[in-house]
Amino acid sequence: ALSYVWGFSSKAVPINLDGFKIPVTQNLEYALRYPRRQTQPRRIWVDAVCINQADLDERSKQVSRMKNIYQQAFNVVIWLGEENEPRVGEVFYTGRNCEAFMVLSKLLYRKWFTRVWVLQELAAASAAGVVCGNASISWSVLEIAFEALRDLFSECVYETLPMLAIPFR
């Protein structure tokens, strides 16, 4: 299952699904393109494609099933968007330092983190992976990194603003 933010519907682009052209948002088109496997097909449940958005009755019925869909998914792919920050993929696997803190903290400003709906999808997931452009990491590893960065925050602030000399510990 895919967990993502729809994006602007005014910028719809067509995707090819079994020979049919289906309009989707630009963000969804990117989300489907980036995590593709080159050598084998990938099945992924996407609400905007799997639910007839024009049928209000179907939409309401499917919305009530979404928790089960995310619970039963083998893996939930969390799409944060394109990799605007060039070092995201590299920093996913670097040690604890202030640069890593700055890059990863920028991820928290992605729209995905502001939406209640997608956070509920994550809560229902048994396993999740985070994709940002071509970079990917498991949610559990990213969660550990965020916890480590929280601890590192005071050190980075102290190093960045030594003239304040405010003890944060």
Side-chain angles (χ1 to χ4, degrees), residues 3-5 27 30-31 34 78-85 88 107 110-112 130-135:
S3 180
Y4 69 108
V5 175
N27 192 47
Y30 290 149
Y34 275 98
I78 298 168
W79 171 252
L80 295 182
E82 291 187 282
E83 189 175 353
N84 310 26
E85 188 65 42
V88 167
L107 286 179
R110 299 284 179 126
K111 287 204 180 286
W112 186 89
V130 179
V131 179
C132 184
N134 289 319

Side-chain angles (χ1 to χ4, degrees), residues 103-136:
V103 172
L104 289 180
S105 65
K106 287 180 182 180
L107 286 179
L108 293 173
Y109 289 97
R110 299 284 179 126
K111 287 204 180 286
W112 186 89
F113 289 98
T114 67
R115 304 295 301 266
V116 174
W117 192 261
V118 293
L119 294 175
Q120 291 170 341
E121 294 167 354
L122 172 63
S126 58
V130 179
V131 179
C132 184
N134 289 319
S136 63

Side-chain angles (χ1 to χ4, degrees), residues 41-52:
R42 179 180 212 165
R43 274 193 207 168
I44 190 161
W45 185 90
V46 179
D47 57 357
V49 176
C50 296
I51 300 172
N52 180 355

Side-chain angles (χ1 to χ4, degrees), residues 64-100:
S64 66
R65 296 183 58 226
M66 287 177 69
K67 181 180 178 186
N68 289 340
I69 290 168
Y70 283 89
Q71 283 176 330
Q72 294 174 10
F74 177 74
N75 186 47
V76 172
V77 176
I78 298 168
W79 171 252
L80 295 182
E82 291 187 282
E83 189 175 353
N84 310 26
E85 188 65 42
R87 298 185 40 93
V88 167
E90 189 178 317
V91 170
F92 273 169
Y93 299 101
T94 62
R96 292 171 42 136
N97 60 46
C98 290
E99 182 182 4

Side-chain angles (χ1 to χ4, degrees), residues 18-39:
D18 290 333
F20 295 96
K21 298 273 186 196
I22 297 176
V24 298
T25 63
Q26 184 73 61
N27 192 47
L28 176 53
E29 193 268 339
Y30 290 149
L32 293 172
R33 185 173 307 283
Y34 275 98
R36 288 179 69 171
R37 296 181 182 143
Q38 298 302 317
T39 58

